[in-house]
Structures are given as structure tokens and as C-alpha cells.
Amino acid sequence: MRARKLAAVLTVATTLGASGAIASSHREAPFITKSPKVDSTDFYMFRSYEATRADFVTLIANYIPFQEAYGGPNFFTLDPEALYEIHIDNDGNGQEDLTFQFRFTNTLANANAGAALTIGTGAQAKTVPVPLFNVGPITTANQANLNVQESFTLKVVRGNRRTGVAKDVTNAAGGSATFRKPTDYIGTKSLGLPAVYEAYAREHIYNVNIPDCPTPGRVFVGQRKESFAVNLGPIFDLVNADGTFITTAANRNAVKNPLAGNNITTLALEVPIACLKAGTQDVIGGWTSASVRQARAINPSPTFAKPSRDGGAWQQVSRLGMPLVNEVVIGLPDKDKFNASEPKDDAQFATYVTNPT
């Protein structure tokens, strides 16, 4: 499911199969820097290009920027208290007509007691929970050594994202509504060489039944290589490089890409075109968003399962369609407002687009 990055969408303005801008947005607004787990970095939408998949659209939403290759001991789980969504507008009014909602669950082994080892001998022996993600090698077939297990559910909502009709997307093999997410690439001793890890990750591509859609789709959620390349230091140091150096194609790889060793977490869907369209309309739009509950009370005696108690209505805190709009177009006073807004209300940001600084 890891695919070429062909088309990105701001609101509702891409045709099925069209190509567009290629870019990313990382830490683009002040408030989202506090919550990297719900920071969307990319959104891509394009007609699938595999020989037998021409009647499908691939939707890719990436989250959690700047993942270092060796990011232990906690690595980069998605937030179980958040709602991750991919929205589709198929009638051109800037409002979602379909929404795919991802929710995540992270559990410790042994019913959240955690994997444990016996330390000491005889009367001095004690069973002690380990501080790490795993206690040995991991494969899809053998999860016994895995301490933190990640899974997710997926729903499709038709109509308004909060008041529309929501139904479970299920595994075409067996009908389960719960899907396993592959563990992040901890390293070679835990998950093998990169080729072995890639095979392991691909075992988490699922054929899925989408309600009210006669043809199955596919879904994958997992860690992937960072696809964006930029020299962040000079760019945000008042573009500290000669203009000709930046624009000359021959210099493209002359400066090391600091993101080359980083990863992101991908939420990827492949959906039949017929299930996304409205009638004969061949133009659709899409974007991704992440929301959290409006209230959070910190647990004074936190556990793995309950470090806090979250409640209240969902509040959108991250939004991405066309990358870099919020990062380099929207003014600093309105960046958080943009992340909380919806495409139908984008006229309020028109001055930033018509008079770019």
C-alpha cells in the first residue's frame, strides 16, 4: 500500500486520477506541536495505478512527524483518545459526504499487567514487568514476545461526520471489525532486516468490506518511511541559501536531507471509485483531520490504560488537504484556527491566499 505521492487536495478540487502538488506539513501550528500523535503531515489522493486496481482511489493520511528510526523505548503508537478521519466531498460544497473514522487501542500483554520476567532465584525471585516494547523477536504468527499491542477499528460515516449514519468496516476474511497494526520497526534483532520487516508489515494489509459498497477495498495502518525531503535548517532560517542554489535541479541532492532517516505513520485506504462518487460527478475532494475530546483530567494515579480521563465533544485540532497551506500561507495568529476549521469555511482565510506574505 505504500504508494507514489501523486495528488493532494485542498478542499474539493481534484479529479480522479489527476496529479497535483507534492509536499508535507510538519508542526505547522503552535498548538499542534504539543500533540505530535495527532499532527497530520501529508494527505494524498490518487487513482490506484496497479494493473488490476484502476477502478479504485487510494487515500493516504500520514501522522506523527519526525519519527527517529530508533525511537524507543515507547516508539510511535497512535493516540487511543483521538479520532483520526479521512473526509470525502463528492458534490463540491466543501462539506464531507463520506468520512472514514479510525480509532486505536493500545494494550499491554497479560491484560495490561505487562510482560514480566522472573528476576532472582529461590526465595529472592520476583516477577517484574519489563520496561520495553518487547522481550524477544516478533512475527505476525508469534506475538508472544510483544508487550505493547496496537489495534484499530474503522467506520464509514455517510453524511455529517458527527450526526451521519456510521457503520463498521470489516475484514473480508472472517468479518472482524478489529484490525491489528504492525509494530514499529524496533530494529533488526526484534523484527529482522528491512526486507523481513517489509514482509511483516505487508501482512497487515487487509481486504475490507465497506458497508453499502459492493466491491471490497483495502486498508493498511503502520509505520512507513518519511517521503518528504527538505533542508529544514536553511528554509526556516529566512531561506538561508542562494536562490539559484535552491531552484537549480542539479543541486537537488547537494545538501543532506535531514528527514532521510525519519518515518511517519500511514493510514491508507483503497476504495472503489463507484463508492466515492455521487451520481455521474467525476470530481471529488478529500482531506484528513484529527480530533480529541474537549476536556482532559489528568489521573493522579496513572496507569497504562488510564493516564487521563477524556470527555466532552470532539474538537478538531489537526487538518490537512493541500500540504504547506497552513505552514507557509496562513498567518501565525490564525494557524490554530485553520486547523480547527472545515473547508466550507475557508473564505475567512482568503486574504492570506490572495495576499501571500
Side-chain angles (χ1 to χ4, degrees):
M1 291 290 283
R2 185 60 171 172
R4 295 176 295 174
K5 309 306 188 186
L6 298 183
V9 187
L10 171 57
T11 52
V12 292
T14 192
T15 58
L16 297 174
S19 61
I22 302 176
S24 291
S25 289
H26 299 63
R27 293 168 51 86
E28 73 284 346
F31 187 64
I32 201 61
T33 64
K34 300 180 180 181
S35 305
K37 286 181 180 287
V38 289
D39 185 356
S40 55
T41 66
D42 315 87
F43 178 75
Y44 303 101
M45 180 169 71
F46 53 89
R47 194 165 190 161
S48 298
Y49 53 83
E50 291 179 85
T52 60
R53 312 294 289 186
D55 293 331
F56 291 78
V57 168
T58 296
L59 308 163
I60 294 178
N62 292 335
Y63 281 83
I64 313 182
F66 303 118
Q67 296 181 25
E68 295 294 339
Y70 294 97
N74 290 299
F75 295 94
F76 303 99
T77 58
L78 288 160
D79 188 353
E81 304 299 335
L83 178 64
Y84 299 83
E85 297 177 296
I86 295 176
H87 311 281
I88 297 295
D89 173 15
N90 58 26
D91 59 11
N93 64 356
Q95 300 182 58
E96 69 275 3
D97 298 295
L98 291 92
T99 295
F100 296 93
Q101 295 180 338
F102 295 79
R103 292 294 309 274
F104 292 87
T105 299
N106 304 323
T107 57
L108 280 179
N110 300 324
N112 278 332
L117 298 176
T118 299
I119 307 300
T121 59
Q124 302 301 315
K126 293 184 180 296
T127 301
V128 184
V130 302
L132 304 178
F133 242 58
N134 58 304
V135 293
I138 302 162
T139 65
T140 304
N142 184 4
Q143 305 283 329
N145 290 324
L146 190 57
N147 196 12
V148 180
Q149 300 180 5
E150 301 176 75
S151 62
F152 65 95
T153 59
L154 175 60
K155 293 181 182 292
V156 59
V157 182
R158 299 184 185 275
N160 181 277
R161 66 180 78 173
R162 300 292 175 260
T163 61
V165 178
K167 296 181 179 180
D168 289 327
V169 175
T170 57
N171 194 332
S176 174
T178 301
F179 304 90
R180 185 180 292 277
K181 174 183 173 291
T183 298
D184 291 346
Y185 190 28
I186 297 168
T188 58
K189 189 173 182 179
S190 296
L191 287 155
L193 294 171
V196 175
Y197 179 78
E198 184 61 18
Y200 160 78
R202 285 179 174 274
E203 291 171 347
H204 296 80
I205 299 173
Y206 301 97
N207 293 317
V208 294
N209 292 323
I210 302 171
D212 305 314
C213 183
T215 304
R218 292 195 290 187
V219 67
F220 169 81
V221 176
Q223 190 180 58
R224 300 282 81 188
K225 178 178 172 58
E226 168 67 74
S227 57
F228 192 44
V230 63
N231 194 317
L232 291 169
I235 290 298
F236 291 112
D237 183 22
L238 303 178
V239 193
N240 189 11
D242 181 79
T244 57
F245 187 87
I246 293 173
T247 58
T248 301
N251 293 325
R252 179 167 295 167
N253 296 311
V255 177
K256 181 181 179 180
N257 169 27
L259 303 181
N262 285 5
N263 299 308
I264 39 76
T265 299
T266 288
L267 285 61
L269 273 171
E270 191 177 44
V271 183
I273 290 173
C275 298
L276 298 177
K277 291 174 53 175
T280 60
Q281 172 61 268
D282 287 329
V283 179
I284 65 173
W287 66 99
T288 185
S289 69
S291 301
V292 296
R293 297 294 188 181
Q294 288 182 338
R296 168 169 290 181
I298 303 301
N299 186 350
S301 299
T303 65
F304 179 89
K306 286 293 182 183
S308 65
R309 183 174 297 277
D310 295 56
W314 290 112
Q315 176 57 53
Q316 181 179 299
V317 294
S318 181
R319 166 199 169 188
L320 187 59
M322 181 70 78
L324 293 181
V325 169
N326 199 5
E327 189 162 332
V328 299
V329 177
I330 305 301
L332 197 56
D334 289 322
K335 284 180 177 291
D336 292 323
K337 184 177 182 180
F338 183 89
N339 268 356
S341 68
E342 299 181 33
K344 64 182 179 64
D345 300 317
D346 276 354
Q348 64 185 314
F349 304 111
T351 299
Y352 289 119
V353 179
T354 59
N355 299 268
T357 57

